[in-house]
């Protein structure tokens, strides 16, 4: 992986800062939505005895949005996260319930 070099006079830095502000807002909203999913899953599981599969799938994709967003914000990746790229496909769940 190549590392970009930024300076305060570099236009690329300021463009990245704009993307970072938007990404930070998306991550902030995503974390809030994640908490809502957690609460709804707790209620659904308490009533039905099992978690909702659709919410599990959405939560998996949302967690990827949050993770890729933080990687971009921390300069670990140059790849722009959602909403500047496609919505992630959730990775297969290898856990055993």
């Amino acid at each position: 992986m190549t590392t970009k070099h930024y300076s305060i006079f570099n236009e690329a830095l300021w463009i990245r800062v704009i993307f970072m502000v938007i990404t930070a807002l998306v991550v902030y909203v995503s974390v809030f939505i994640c908490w809502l999913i957690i609460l709804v899953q707790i209620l659904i599981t308490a009533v039905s005895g099992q978690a909702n599969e659709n919410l599990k799938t959405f939560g998996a994709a949302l967690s990827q949005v949050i993770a890729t967003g933080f990687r971009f914000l921390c300069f670990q990746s140059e790849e722009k996260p959602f909403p500047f790229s496609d919505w992630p496909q959730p990775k297969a769940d290898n856990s055993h319930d």
Side-chain angles (χ1 to χ4, degrees), residues 1-16 75 77-78:
M1 180 173 118
T2 59
T3 304
K4 279 191 173 181
H5 297 285
Y6 294 105
S7 75
I8 196 159
F9 303 109
N10 188 332
E11 181 180 322
L13 173 64
W14 297 108
I15 291 171
R16 183 183 170 97
F75 286 83
S77 172
E78 292 296 324

Side-chain angles (χ1 to χ4, degrees), residues 12 23 34 46 49 56 58 62 68 74 81 87 89 95:
T23 298
C34 191
K56 283 176 66 174
F58 180 71
L62 189 62
T68 57
C74 294
W87 182 259
Q89 293 298 317
S95 66

Side-chain angles (χ1 to χ4, degrees), residues 37-79:
I37 290 171
I38 291 166
L39 294 175
V40 170
Q41 283 287 43
I42 290 170
L43 292 174
I44 289 172
T45 304
V47 171
S48 71
Q50 63 185 31
N52 180 286
E53 289 299 319
N54 291 328
L55 284 178
K56 283 176 66 174
T57 301
F58 180 71
L62 189 62
S63 68
Q64 287 180 255
V65 167
I66 294 167
T68 57
F70 274 118
R71 280 195 297 275
F72 181 73
L73 291 171
C74 294
F75 286 83
Q76 297 298 312
S77 172
E78 292 296 324
E79 184 178 335

